[in-house]
Amino acid sequence: MTGVIGPALVDLIPRLRRFAIGLSRSREAADDLVQTALERALGGAVPEGEVRLDAWMFRVLRNLWIDSVRRRQTRGIEIDIDEPRLAGLPEIDQVAAMERRDLLRRTASALDDLPEEQREVVVLVCVEELSYAEAADILGCPIGTVMSRLARARRRLIEATGAAGERI
């Protein structure tokens, strides 16, 4: 079975990593979450039948995150948040580059300040471009809950970043 899903999992890694960074707000913790999720999938835990691999992997990753939060609360350890950076963007106009960095910093900060349930929805729907139904399935909640969390999150992000008129 791993021979069949291996290439599909490799294609999912960037999306899984983005979701994990959105949850954990740490590149190191995100990498650990993705690695553990991939180990589970490659260990033969993939469900049979008509289950979408990406939705199942997002659910596995989220469950691993919840487990790690519970363990961390027991231990009392906190993980530092990385400073967001713009990587690979051409620095043609220094003013525009500074404005992009500032907007990215404000957006990352505003995303970090969102309640976890709103941050999860934003990452799944806005970053991973999953449908409301797919996000609801991954999060184990009704579609209406996904929609209301997303609306509240978008409102908070717009207020925090001053990005009225921007696509969030």
Side-chain angles (χ1 to χ4, degrees), residues 30-45:
D31 289 342
D32 290 343
L33 283 169
V34 171
Q35 180 176 342
T36 305
L38 292 171
E39 288 171 358
R40 291 247 172 112
L42 291 172

Side-chain angles (χ1 to χ4, degrees), residues 10 54 78 102 127 150 154:
V10 170
D54 61 344
E78 292 187 17
D102 183 55
V127 177
L150 184 59
R154 284 178 170 160

Side-chain angles (χ1 to χ4, degrees), residues 66-124:
I66 290 168
D67 291 345
S68 73
V69 168
R70 288 179 183 148
R71 279 191 305 276
R72 191 171 57 245
Q73 286 173 343
T74 303
R75 290 187 312 223
I77 297 172
E78 292 187 17
I79 299 172
D80 291 336
I81 299 171
D82 286 340
E83 181 66 26
R85 297 175 196 88
L86 289 179
L89 293 178
E91 299 294 329
I92 298 169
D93 180 359
Q94 292 299 320
V95 173
M98 288 174 43
E99 288 172 353
R100 285 193 307 265
R101 269 192 218 92
D102 183 55
L103 180 59
L104 181 60
R105 182 191 51 75
R106 286 184 290 140
T107 303
S109 176
L111 191 59
D112 287 347
D113 291 340
L114 288 176
E116 186 171 337
E117 63 273 357
Q118 290 178 12
R119 190 172 56 251
E120 289 174 338
V121 171
V122 168
V123 172
L124 289 173

